[in-house]
Amino acid sequence: QVQLVQSGAEVKKPGASVKVSCKASGYTFTSYAMHWVRQAPGQRLEWMGWINAGNGNTKYSQKFQGRVTITRDTSASTAYMELSSLRSEDTAVYYCARATWVRDSSGKPRGWYFDLWGRGTLVTVSS
Amino acid sequence: QTVVTQEPSLTVSPGGTVTLTCASSTGAVTSGYYPNWFQQKPGQAPRALIYSTSNKHSWTPARFSGSLLGGKAALTLSGVQPEDEAEYYCLLYYGGALVFGGGTKLTVL
């Protein structure tokens, strides 16, 4: 079964770090990218960054640069998102999402194709 | 800081047609922003509907269509169903980085 299974809810204190995992199954993990998106309570979706699960290259949102690290373990078909220096505003549901960078038949880029999401991991930051 | 703007809320009658738009603070949205559209219902993860402006996923109902309209990305629902009541988000590409819009809460009434 093709799915992304995320780790369970976390409660952290301000200043701490959190590491959320996203285990892929049912497909070739290294053939896709994995994006991370978060959503604070009642707020918009917020893109955090992505990793090329094949070569490990990453790209982060400027907003989270320096605080977020996305990694992967190909032997475990698992992607990780670690966020440091947590503050209350980081309380959110964190999602992983599988995506492919698509091109048309002539090789022209067509952008990202998102097709599979995890169910989300609630991270609560509270003293 | 790049801001992507959507209508905060829209209301449509069942069977009606509604268009949601997605604007960029950097100027007109073109196909090079590769707009994606997502639907999200309460307590659920987002679900992709449209990629690369107007391309549907295999699971996207035919009543959903994407386009560029007046310098914005647009999502049109024709023949709206009660189950289409949800939050809709656009996602734009900025040379590597991605930015979500603020979302449109669509009410079917």
Side-chain angles (χ1 to χ4, degrees), chain A residues 35 37 39 43-47 50 59-61 95 101-102 108-115 117-120, chain B residues 3-4 34 36 38 40 44-48 51-52 55 57-59 89 91 93 95-102:
Chain A
H35 290 249
V37 173
Q39 188 171 38
Q43 301 301 308
R44 71 171 67 190
L45 298 171
E46 193 168 27
W47 179 77
W50 69 278
K59 171 74 174 179
Y60 301 127
S61 166
Y95 295 101
W101 180 254
V102 295
K108 184 180 173 186
R110 301 295 295 278
W112 285 108
Y113 177 99
F114 289 83
D115 64 348
W117 290 69
R119 298 182 72 171
Chain B
V3 177
V4 177
Y34 310 123
N36 273 266
F38 299 87
Q40 187 181 34
Q44 297 182 15
R47 181 177 77 136
Y51 68 99
S52 194
N55 294 273
H57 290 265
S58 58
W59 56 81
Y89 291 93
L91 176 66
Y93 174 85
L98 299 174
V99 180
F100 280 98

Side-chain angles (χ1 to χ4, degrees), chain A residues 86-107:
Chain A
L86 290 170
R87 33 207 189 234
S88 58
E89 309 89 87
D90 294 318
T91 293
V93 175
Y94 290 77
Y95 295 101
C96 57
R98 186 181 81 168
T100 305
W101 180 254
V102 295
R103 297 179 182 271
D104 64 18
S105 54
S106 64

Side-chain angles (χ1 to χ4, degrees), chain A residues 61-98:
Chain A
S61 166
Q62 219 168 358
K63 174 175 178 176
F64 300 102
Q65 196 83 37
R67 274 210 309 146
V68 69
T69 305
I70 299 174
T71 57
R72 95 289 191 222
D73 178 347
T74 56
S75 65
S77 296
T78 300
Y80 302 91
M81 187 284 301
E82 184 169 21
L83 189 62
S84 62
S85 303
L86 290 170
R87 33 207 189 234
S88 58
E89 309 89 87
D90 294 318
T91 293
V93 175
Y94 290 77
Y95 295 101
C96 57
R98 186 181 81 168

Side-chain angles (χ1 to χ4, degrees), chain B residues 57-72:
Chain B
H57 290 265
S58 58
W59 56 81
T60 303
R63 61 184 180 274
F64 290 85
S65 63
S67 64
L68 296 175
L69 202 61
K72 301 179 185 180

Side-chain angles (χ1 to χ4, degrees), chain B residues 61-100:
Chain B
R63 61 184 180 274
F64 290 85
S65 63
S67 64
L68 296 175
L69 202 61
K72 301 179 185 180
L75 177 70
T76 299
L77 288 72
S78 305
V80 171
Q81 301 296 307
E83 61 265 29
D84 297 333
E85 184 162 294
E87 192 89 21
Y88 292 84
Y89 291 93
C90 64
L91 176 66
L92 300 182
Y93 174 85
Y94 292 87
L98 299 174
V99 180
F100 280 98

